[in-house]
Amino acid sequence: MPHILLVVGSLRKESFNRQLANAITAQLEDKAECRELRYDDLPWINQDEEFPAPAAVQHARDELAWADGIWFVSPEYNGFFPGAVKNLIDWLSRPVVAGDYSTVAIAGKAATVSGAAGKSGSRTMQGNLCSLLEGVRASVMAEPTVGVQIPGPSWASNVLELSDADQASIVEQVAAFLEFIA
């Protein structure tokens, strides 16, 4: 059974993107083993503190090593992903052994992106995040993706309402990613 590591771009407990990640995980049930990476304790990247890696960085690298694929589920902030996601990727893009870039944790790792956002449905963020992931040499499945437009009532209730089309997109991306990492 493949292992999938989910990275939720919003650190908020009740975030719409955590709810979307939960819907993705539900579709992966019996098809893959899933874990959510907790990374809210990562220090800001600082090359002066890179070796030995801080414990939180080592934990993130260990979780990534466990995974066959990494699935980012992120909001869109001003057309981009949150700074915490960038910080995580910055740490994962650094060598584990000083000067040996063949030891980069994220290089070659299968990755895909989804998101829930306002009118954009996170499409701009997804393109930017895929570009970054390609830049750090992850193996990116850029399509199909799930881009949920958060419906008006959800903003008031704090509950992400997924349409039938959203659910179908999740099923499609799950099937495609499982094939991609196989």
Side-chain angles (χ1 to χ4, degrees):
M1 184 173 288
H3 297 160
I4 297 177
L5 187 64
L6 287 110
V7 174
V8 178
S10 173
L11 301 178
R12 186 171 70 91
K13 282 188 220 174
E14 301 294 324
S15 79
F16 294 125
N17 282 277
R18 179 159 282 106
Q19 292 174 57
L20 177 57
N22 290 340
I24 292 165
T25 300
Q27 286 299 321
L28 285 162
E29 192 172 47
D30 299 327
K31 299 176 186 101
E33 187 176 336
C34 298
R35 291 184 192 166
E36 181 183 337
L37 177 63
R38 301 307 300 221
Y39 62 99
D40 54 342
D41 60 345
L42 273 180
W44 290 107
I45 189 158
N46 180 342
Q47 288 176 299
D48 292 336
E49 299 175 10
E50 194 168 11
F51 301 104
V57 173
Q58 190 57 52
H59 170 74
R61 288 175 176 166
D62 291 346
E63 288 292 284
L64 187 61
W66 167 86
D68 298 305
I70 185 169
W71 194 320
F72 291 87
V73 185
S74 181
E76 180 172 301
Y77 296 162
N78 301 314
F80 280 83
F81 40 87
V85 173
K86 174 71 164 67
N87 187 54
L88 170 66
I89 293 169
D90 287 344
W91 274 115
L92 295 176
S93 72
R94 300 298 301 160
V96 175
V97 176
D100 184 356
Y101 281 85
S102 70
T103 63
V104 169
I106 201 166
K109 188 63 69 173
T112 195
V113 177
S114 297
K119 290 182 182 181
S120 72
S122 77
R123 292 295 178 199
T124 305
M125 176 282 300
Q126 288 185 33
N128 289 324
L129 184 50
C130 285
S131 291
L132 174 61
L133 290 167
E134 289 166 356
V136 298
R137 300 180 291 138
S139 178
V140 180
M141 185 190 85
E143 292 292 332
T145 64
V146 175
V148 175
Q149 281 188 359
I150 300 170
S154 290
W155 294 107
S157 69
N158 204 34
V159 174
L160 182 62
E161 297 173 18
L162 296 171
S163 68
D164 290 343
D166 294 331
Q167 292 284 4
S169 292
I170 292 169
V171 169
E172 180 183 16
Q173 189 173 4
V174 162
F177 196 51
L178 289 172
E179 184 175 321
F180 186 77
I181 63 177

